[in-house]
């Protein structure tokens, strides 16, 4: 550093508050969990869909809802150079609904099943388990009205968590009614809250006027105590919603799934109708909701699309990885050590050959001595080292060192490829010391 050069400002070298890096050791767990999730969703007939990270702000205002905390307080919104109001997606459902309408996917035979894994953005107060950029795995089914699908979606979430060895899982369910029965319930809530208006926090006082259902989401102890005496939505459901809820429950029971009806589970998004659910775990500390979702039968119509019902859930991957134990496979790889300039070029050619055969291969251009290269290979956790020197080039035969047995093996590249491929898929094929070679 020249004497005049100043170290960069501290903030320049720190990830923005509420965001975090996923470093290679951790990324392996993410890859493993994501692979399990993708395979699991595909088993149920879901297919991946990918949409842009940002959308028109209006999409979320209209979908997620003007009275939701996400829209009121948490959106990353900016005006782009063309003067348009843009928002980094705080959730995924509006984007999928938009894509279905835009590409007229609703013309395909229903149901449509989609999944997606990617980052979301909310200007929330950062704390453990709550970030400003976080990741979700989402699934959505469009055009399936039967409560059997509500139960299947929950069963899919539950069996995924079992595959990922998440313990202490609890399923919470509720019904938030529909546009036919909810207005009466909201009025009943308003009446109950109005008498105690002054006792609520300012946020909840606003909610009494805008959407009293939201009061159930308040974290303030006093508001929670007051809300505990509110009438329950499960007592005000219309026939259709009550039947749907009963059907949902009986299908959950057919799967043998244990659940708890939580009549105050309204979830923070405006578009839900009928079923809502959450999966929580007793092992995740304060932020214990791993995933949440529900039915949103009115959203497509709200956007000016067809009358198409839908249900889905979003699972938070940061929270999942706090409690999941995805299996990561120990990868076996080859390290190529070379001695001299000529050998460096030969090593590069061999590396290309091995990689073209899907054999993971490391080659570093540091011109270290042989001993240093072998010790580096060992430290990196390589399974084998290949030694390339002048003699080997002349004889066109290479020495492969197996770190687990300490044995050396000399062969040409055709035999080496065969051997490494066998070894990579079924370790242990190599004879141990004193045994005959194949
Ligand atoms: P939601 O989209 O709010 O229904 O949340 C679905 C799931 O996403 C939650 O159960 C959490 O696991 C996760 N989640 C939501 N907000 C955050 C956040 N700010 N940071 C980390 N995970 C989150």
């Amino acid at each position: 550093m020249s004497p005049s050069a100043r170290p960069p400002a501290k903030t320049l070298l720190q990830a923005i508050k509420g965001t975090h890096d996923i470093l290679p050791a951790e990324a392996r767990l993410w890859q493993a969990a994501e692979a399990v999730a993708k395979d699991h969703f595909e088993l149920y007939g879901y297919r991946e869909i990918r949409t842009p990270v940002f959308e028109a702000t209006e999409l979320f205002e209209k979908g997620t809802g003007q009275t939701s905390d996400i829209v009121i307080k948490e959106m990353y919104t900016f005006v782009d150079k063309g003067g348009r109001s843009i928002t980094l997606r705080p959730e995924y459902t509006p984007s999928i609904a938009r894509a279905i309408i835009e590409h007229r996917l609703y013309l395909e035979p229903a149901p449509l099943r989609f999944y997606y894994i990617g980052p979301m953005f909310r200007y929330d107060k950062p704390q453990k388990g709550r970030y400003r950029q976080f990741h979700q795995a989402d699934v959505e089914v469009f055009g399936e009205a039967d409560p059997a699908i509500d139960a299947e979606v929950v069963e899919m979430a539950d069996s995924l968590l079992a595959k990922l060895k998440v313990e202490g899982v609890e399923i919470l369910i509720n019904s938030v009614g529909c546009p036919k029965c909810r207005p009466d319930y909201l009025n009943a809530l308003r009446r109950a809250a109005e008498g105690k208006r002054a006792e609520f926090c300012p946020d909840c006082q606003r909610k009494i006027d805008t959407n009293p259902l939201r009061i159930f989401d308040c974290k303030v102890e006093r508001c929670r105590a007051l809300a505990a005496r509110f009438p329950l939505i499960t007592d005000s459901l219309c026939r259709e919603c009550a039947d749907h809820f009963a059907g949902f429950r009986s299908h959950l029971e057919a799967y043998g799934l244990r659940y708890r009806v939580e009549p105050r589970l309204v979830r923070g998004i405006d578009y839900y109708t009928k079923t809502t659910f959450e999966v929580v775990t007793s092992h995740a500390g304060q932020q214990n909701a791993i995933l949440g979702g529900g039915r949103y039968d009115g959203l497509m119509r709200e956007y000016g699309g067809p009358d198409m019902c839908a249900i889905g859930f979003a699972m938070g991957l940061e929270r999942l990885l706090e409690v999941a134990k995805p299996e990561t496979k120990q990868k076996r790889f080859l390290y190529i050590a070379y001695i001299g300039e000529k050998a460096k070029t030969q090593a590069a050619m061999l590396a290309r050959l091995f990689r073209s055969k899907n054999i993971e291969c490391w080659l570093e251009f540091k011109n270290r001595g042989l001993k240093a290269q072998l010790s580096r290979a060992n430290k990196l956790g390589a399974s084998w080292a290949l030694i390339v020197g002048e003699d080997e080039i002349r004889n066109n035969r290479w020495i492969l060192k197996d770190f687990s047995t300490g044995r050396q093996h000399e062969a040409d590249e055709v035999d080496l490829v065969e051997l490494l491929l066998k070894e990579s898929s079924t370790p242990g094929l190599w004879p141990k010391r004193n045994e005959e070679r194949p």
Side-chain angles (χ1 to χ4, degrees):
M1 190 164 51
S2 73
S4 60
R6 271 198 233 121
K10 201 173 163 212
T11 46
L12 187 72
L13 293 180
Q14 271 180 350
I16 303 274
K17 189 174 171 190
T19 71
H20 61 104
D21 300 309
I22 301 168
L23 301 179
E26 214 190 327
R28 294 190 61 173
L29 294 175
W30 281 70
Q31 287 171 344
E34 286 171 8
V36 171
K38 283 183 180 178
D39 286 352
H40 194 70
F41 300 150
E42 299 251 348
L43 271 182
Y44 287 73
Y46 290 76
R47 294 294 176 257
E48 187 172 11
I49 183 168
R50 299 186 191 197
T51 65
V53 162
F54 53 82
E55 300 269 0
T57 301
E58 217 191 335
L59 186 79
F60 302 109
E61 286 173 348
K62 209 173 164 90
T64 311
Q66 299 279 7
T67 71
S68 68
D69 277 357
I70 293 181
V71 169
I72 294 171
K73 301 190 260 190
E74 297 172 4
M75 294 210 298
Y76 273 94
T77 298
F78 61 96
V79 177
D80 73 3
K81 291 199 168 83
R84 288 167 288 255
S85 181
I86 301 290
T87 293
L88 301 184
R89 61 180 178 210
E91 56 141 350
Y92 204 56
T93 307
S95 301
I96 301 195
R98 194 249 329 122
I100 291 176
I101 297 169
E102 182 175 340
H103 302 287
R104 310 217 298 170
L105 300 182
Y106 52 79
L107 295 178
E108 292 174 13
L112 307 172
R113 295 171 187 248
F114 299 116
Y115 73 87
Y116 174 80
I117 296 181
M120 306 291 151
F121 307 85
R122 291 185 197 170
Y123 195 82
D124 208 342
K125 197 161 169 241
Q127 53 176 260
K128 191 167 161 38
R130 193 189 293 158
Y131 303 94
R132 290 182 172 172
Q133 177 177 335
F134 59 101
H135 300 79
Q136 285 185 336
D138 283 71
V139 300
E140 321 275 351
V141 190
F142 288 81
E144 190 82 278
D146 197 296
I149 190 68
D150 304 33
E152 191 193 77
V153 164
V154 173
E155 186 276 330
M156 181 170 75
D158 179 76
S159 50
L160 173 60
L161 295 178
K163 269 187 188 168
L164 291 168
K165 304 195 179 59
V166 178
E167 289 167 7
V169 161
E170 192 180 10
I171 299 167
L172 312 179
I173 63 166
N174 191 24
S175 172
V176 290
C178 68
K180 273 182 269 160
C181 53
R182 196 158 41 198
D184 282 349
Y185 178 64
L186 292 182
N187 284 335
L189 278 188
R190 235 173 239 124
R191 278 195 301 275
E194 199 58 70
K196 309 260 178 198
R197 183 179 271 270
E199 296 178 46
F200 282 99
C201 72
D203 217 17
C204 284
Q205 293 191 18
R206 177 182 52 77
K207 290 173 181 174
I208 297 173
D209 304 316
T210 56
N211 186 352
L213 215 52
R214 267 306 89 76
I215 295 173
F216 289 123
D217 291 333
C218 185
K219 303 278 178 291
V220 176
E221 227 16 83
R222 177 78 198 137
C223 300
R224 293 182 81 83
L226 291 167
R229 291 199 289 272
F230 280 176
L232 298 180
I233 190 155
T234 30
D235 296 331
S236 335
L237 297 178
C238 62
R239 185 78 266 144
E240 188 187 323
C241 288
D243 286 349
H244 189 95
F245 195 45
F248 173 42
R249 292 177 62 168
S250 80
H251 280 97
L252 285 178
E253 282 150 27
Y255 284 121
L257 289 177
R258 289 158 65 100
Y259 60 84
R260 180 155 59 86
V261 177
E262 176 47 86
R264 291 176 191 86
L265 180 73
V266 293
R267 307 201 23 81
I269 295 169
D270 280 0
Y271 49 63
Y272 285 122
T273 49
K274 297 181 178 156
T275 306
T276 56
F277 58 90
E278 232 170 57
V279 177
V280 299
T281 157
S282 51
H283 294 271
Q286 210 186 353
Q287 301 300 331
N288 65 349
I290 296 191
L291 65 89
R295 183 166 272 284
Y296 47 97
D297 291 347
L299 184 66
M300 293 287 277
R301 216 177 16 211
E302 183 70 28
Y303 279 148
D307 191 4
M308 196 175 203
C309 60
I311 178 161
F313 71 75
M315 177 168 71
L317 295 186
E318 279 79 2
R319 291 199 202 158
L320 174 74
L321 280 153
E322 285 283 316
V323 288
K325 297 175 201 74
E327 271 176 35
T328 53
K329 282 202 197 90
Q330 194 60 38
K331 279 181 141 185
R332 291 164 70 79
F333 67 90
L334 170 70
Y335 187 97
I336 304 191
Y338 60 88
I339 312 145
E341 272 307 298
K342 204 167 151 202
K344 186 200 295 179
T345 309
Q346 181 64 50
M349 297 310 110
L350 284 168
R352 178 162 74 162
L353 170 75
F354 293 133
R355 289 166 183 156
S356 75
K357 304 288 181 197
N358 278 335
I359 297 164
E360 184 176 328
C361 179
W362 288 45
L363 176 60
E364 297 174 323
F365 302 106
K366 289 279 178 210
N367 295 322
R368 295 184 178 106
L370 182 61
K371 218 170 137 202
Q373 290 183 71
L374 291 181
S375 115
R376 164 110 176 119
N378 214 345
K379 270 205 198 108
L380 284 169
S383 305
W384 318 276
L386 188 74
I387 300 165
V388 183
E390 296 275 330
D391 287 350
E392 285 78 12
I393 297 175
R394 206 170 314 111
N395 302 330
N396 199 24
R397 291 184 74 78
W398 322 100
I399 298 169
L400 188 71
K401 189 175 163 60
D402 183 339
F403 285 114
S404 61
T405 62
R407 289 196 60 156
Q408 302 215 128
H409 187 80
E410 198 191 307
D412 64 13
E413 53 242 46
V414 177
D415 283 352
L416 280 178
V417 165
E418 198 184 326
L419 191 65
L420 289 170
L421 280 176
K422 260 194 213 153
E423 276 286 308
S424 309
S425 54
T426 342
L429 278 181
W430 268 34
K432 300 271 174 313
R433 233 177 253 285
N434 304 328
E435 283 175 30
E436 279 299 296
R437 280 187 200 160

